[in-house]
Amino acid sequence: MKNDYQSVLNSLKSKIEVIIGKYEQVISDNQRLSQQLEICKEELIISKDKIKEQEEKLNRLQLAEAFTHSSGDAKEARDKIGRIVKEIDKCIALLND
């Protein structure tokens, strides 16, 4: 009878040790994944900033190109300038809110 209890206890002890090991592994994985997530968030912010810079550069280049074309493209240049002015007005309105 004592051997039965002892074997049950030993079995239970080994199962608990396995569970504790798995728990510690999950905690470790969670910490590693949290660190990776933070790195990815930082990289995303950097990428978004680069995209914004490139979009602004593209807009400036398109505007410069519009001015260098012939007078037939003057309407297109005025339209682009109008869109840029509207965008600036929106930004100013957002800053004033």
Side-chain angles (χ1 to χ4, degrees):
M1 188 67 118
K2 187 175 181 181
N3 285 338
D4 290 338
Y5 289 127
Q6 190 65 33
S7 66
V8 169
L9 284 176
N10 287 338
S11 173
L12 185 58
K13 183 178 177 182
S14 67
K15 289 179 182 179
I16 290 173
E17 289 173 352
V18 168
I19 290 172
I20 289 172
K22 288 182 179 181
Y23 173 76
E24 289 172 349
Q25 181 64 41
V26 167
I27 294 296
S28 175
D29 290 345
N30 188 27
Q31 289 174 344
R32 180 181 50 81
L33 291 172
S34 292
Q35 290 171 348
Q36 286 179 346
L37 177 62
E38 289 304 315
I39 290 169
C40 289
K41 284 180 179 179
E42 291 171 6
E43 290 174 351
L44 178 63
I45 289 170
I46 291 168
S47 295
K48 284 183 176 181
D49 288 343
K50 286 181 180 179
I51 289 171
K52 186 176 179 181
E53 287 176 20
Q54 292 300 320
E55 287 175 343
E56 290 172 358
K57 186 176 179 180
L58 176 64
N59 285 336
R60 286 192 304 269
L61 288 172
Q62 288 174 339
L63 182 61
E65 183 179 324
F67 282 115
T68 59
H69 284 163
S70 66
S71 62
D73 292 332
K75 182 179 181 331
E76 182 181 335
R78 283 193 297 274
D79 291 344
K80 285 184 181 183
I81 291 172
R83 286 194 300 269
I84 291 171
V85 169
K86 286 179 185 178
E87 189 67 30
I88 292 171
D89 288 342
K90 287 179 187 177
C91 292
I92 292 171
L94 287 173
L95 290 173
N96 287 334
D97 286 340

